[in-house]
Amino acid sequence: MPAILENVNTQLLESDFADSMVAGTGIPPNAIGADNLVLKGPILVEVTNIMEIGHSAYSLLQVHESRIEYRKQSQILRANGDTEERKPMPKYPRSMLQLQLSDGQVVLPAIECKILPQFELGETPLGFKVSRPSIQRMSPAITYLLAKLLIKDVTIRRGVAFLQPRCVELKGHRTADRDERRDAIFLRSLKLRMGYARPTRL
């Protein structure tokens, strides 16, 4: 039974929650747009978008273009058999991250009120799973899967969840098809900030 539960847990964490979660069992309706609320849980969500909001969209776009050029040059060097070490890939500046959290049906905007060091723009895969757990109201099987999680509370103000290390538990994994579109989703978000695009779902 432990091996079966472990396999189910892995498949769940690597799935798109839109395909694997039952509607109405995740983020409660009163949390969306709430002025002042503490979200108790248990709730397991996935990160569908990450954006740095402490720096300008223009500066992020410059880093994005530098990273694309870095990848191209690396591919050329590898194709030519050049194994010489290069300087590291340019990193995005880090101040405050904005996250889009989904339970598969609805999306909850969130920001860091204290830095979550495990999250890094351009590195953390989309579909990454985050829990804000409470053991109460869980079935025995789910309790087994999440037994090592702590009871946490997340504050929502004006429809935005305020995240800090003590109130989230990182589960890892990714949703493969969404993560493959990570750069396209990020670039679209940058263009929206700069007024160059209209909102669409990627």
Side-chain angles (χ1 to χ4, degrees), residues 108-135:
L108 178 66
I111 61 172
E112 296 174 312
C113 61
K114 290 185 179 179
I115 286 180
L116 303 173
Q118 298 91 338
F119 283 101
E120 185 176 350
L121 184 60
E123 301 299 331
T124 301
L126 295 187
F128 192 92
K129 306 306 188 286
V130 183
S131 347
R132 297 159 197 166
S134 163
I135 301 303

Side-chain angles (χ1 to χ4, degrees), residues 91-102:
K91 289 184 175 293
Y92 290 105
R94 182 74 157 82
S95 177
M96 177 184 289
L97 294 181
Q98 179 185 63
L99 310 174
Q100 298 291 324
L101 307 178
S102 174

Side-chain angles (χ1 to χ4, degrees), residues 14-77:
E14 292 182 352
S15 70
D16 186 330
F17 280 179
D19 300 324
S20 58
M21 291 298 193
V22 177
T25 61
I27 300 169
N30 65 329
I32 305 301
D35 285 334
N36 193 358
L37 177 74
V38 176
L39 190 60
K40 295 290 186 181
I43 299 174
L44 182 64
V45 295
E46 61 182 351
V47 178
T48 59
N49 201 358
I50 303 175
M51 178 58 65
E52 168 61 47
I53 58 175
H55 291 81
S56 71
Y58 180 72
S59 66
L60 295 175
L61 182 60
Q62 288 182 311
V63 176
H64 176 71
E65 292 172 347
S66 297
R67 288 168 66 91
I68 291 176
E69 183 61 28
Y70 181 95
R71 291 192 193 108
K72 289 179 180 178
Q73 292 299 323
S74 295
Q75 289 174 354
I76 292 172
L77 290 174

Side-chain angles (χ1 to χ4, degrees), residues 1 18 66 72 81 84 103 117-118 123 132 168 196 201:
M1 183 58 71
S66 297
K72 289 179 180 178
E84 182 181 350
D103 63 0
Q118 298 91 338
E123 301 299 331
R132 297 159 197 166
V168 299
Y196 294 156
R201 183 176 180 179

